[in-house]
Amino acid sequence: MSTTTATAAAPISALSAARTTATATRVLRQLRHDPRTIALMVLVPCVMLFLLRYVFDGSPRTFDSIGASLLGIFPLITMFLVTSIATLRERTSGTLERLLSMPLGKGDLIAGYALAFGIIAIIQSALATGLAVWFLGLDVVGSPWLLLLVALLDALLGTALGLFVSAFAASEFQAVQFMPAVIFPQLLLCGLFTARSNMHPALEAISDVLPMSYAVDGMNQVLKHTDMTATFVRDVLIVAGCALLVLGLGAATLKRRTA
């Protein structure tokens, strides 16, 4: 019997494309019936960029200097908020427990969620980047496609962070409370309001380990340089690496039995 159990459990430990795709499909079907959530993820970053552009209508250079940074920050924040709440609902409703009682590995589940929200993130990032560059007139020296790449990675990072923190919240209200703890410090220290080199050395050291700092740096590289720089490549790799790391931590928080 132990041999049979071991044999049955072995395939679950390996990441399966079929199980991951099935999980992503289920999540997307649920999102399809929740237009408010879709609107929050896809439209809110665009609305915020639109408002920001005309808040600085008399000073377009100000929009140029911070618009690229916020193009990466807004998707991260919205994806974090929506993903943390959506995943928490499935935890508290018992859906995750039922899924994990089936032949479905933790990696399949997390990868499926990441794939589903990643598809939304692609749409969100494409719309926000297109709006900022071609409609709102964001002056970018580099390629808009590089802006899109960083915006997409930021959205995926927000998804990963949302999946991770949902394990530590007992209610949707608590999930929202994680935003000041997880997002706001990064927002203050990422270099949006002042150059990180101008900060107190202790705060600058903290900012050096926060992924949003590299997201903003990557956007600024595209803003100022015509070609892809080594610093841009470093920033992109760090943001992508942080997203993968947090997704791994999110898988580690999943339990096959809830308390």
Side-chain angles (χ1 to χ4, degrees), residues 91-115:
R91 288 181 186 269
T92 55
S93 66
T95 302
L96 286 182
E97 184 179 2
R98 291 193 295 271
L99 289 172
L100 288 172
S101 67
M102 302 167 62
L104 183 69
K106 295 180 180 181
D108 297 321
L109 193 61
I110 288 294
Y113 273 85
L115 177 60

Side-chain angles (χ1 to χ4, degrees), residues 170-187:
S171 65
E172 294 181 14
F173 179 67
Q174 287 186 6
V176 174
Q177 286 180 312
F178 272 104
M179 181 171 286
V182 176
I183 300 298
F184 287 179
Q186 295 193 67
L187 187 62

Side-chain angles (χ1 to χ4, degrees), residues 124-137:
Q124 177 197 74
S125 301
L127 287 175
T129 302
L131 175 70
V133 175
W134 289 296
F135 184 78
L136 299 179

Side-chain angles (χ1 to χ4, degrees), residues 182-196:
V182 176
I183 300 298
F184 287 179
Q186 295 193 67
L187 187 62
L188 292 174
L189 299 178
C190 69
L192 175 65
F193 301 104
T194 184
R196 291 193 289 130

Side-chain angles (χ1 to χ4, degrees), residues 55 123 130 212:
V55 164
I123 300 172
M212 192 183 289

Side-chain angles (χ1 to χ4, degrees), residues 15 18 20 98 141 159 241 247 251 253:
L15 194 66
T20 297
R98 291 193 295 271
V141 175
T159 298
L247 283 176
T253 64

Side-chain angles (χ1 to χ4, degrees), residues 53 56 59-69 132 136-140 220 223:
R53 168 63 183 86
F56 296 108
S59 180
R61 289 187 179 180
T62 303
F63 177 71
D64 290 337
S65 64
I66 66 173
S69 299
L136 299 179
L138 180 66
D139 188 11
V140 179
N220 288 332
L223 192 67

Side-chain angles (χ1 to χ4, degrees), residues 117-172:
F117 285 107
I119 292 172
I120 302 295
I122 292 174
I123 300 172
Q124 177 197 74
S125 301
L127 287 175
T129 302
L131 175 70
V133 175
W134 289 296
F135 184 78
L136 299 179
L138 180 66
D139 188 11
V140 179
V141 175
S143 170
W145 293 106
L146 297 181
L147 278 183
L148 176 59
L149 173 62
V150 181
L152 175 58
L153 289 175
D154 290 344
L156 293 176
L157 176 61
T159 298
L161 289 170
L163 288 170
F164 176 65
V165 303
S166 67
F168 305 100
S171 65
E172 294 181 14

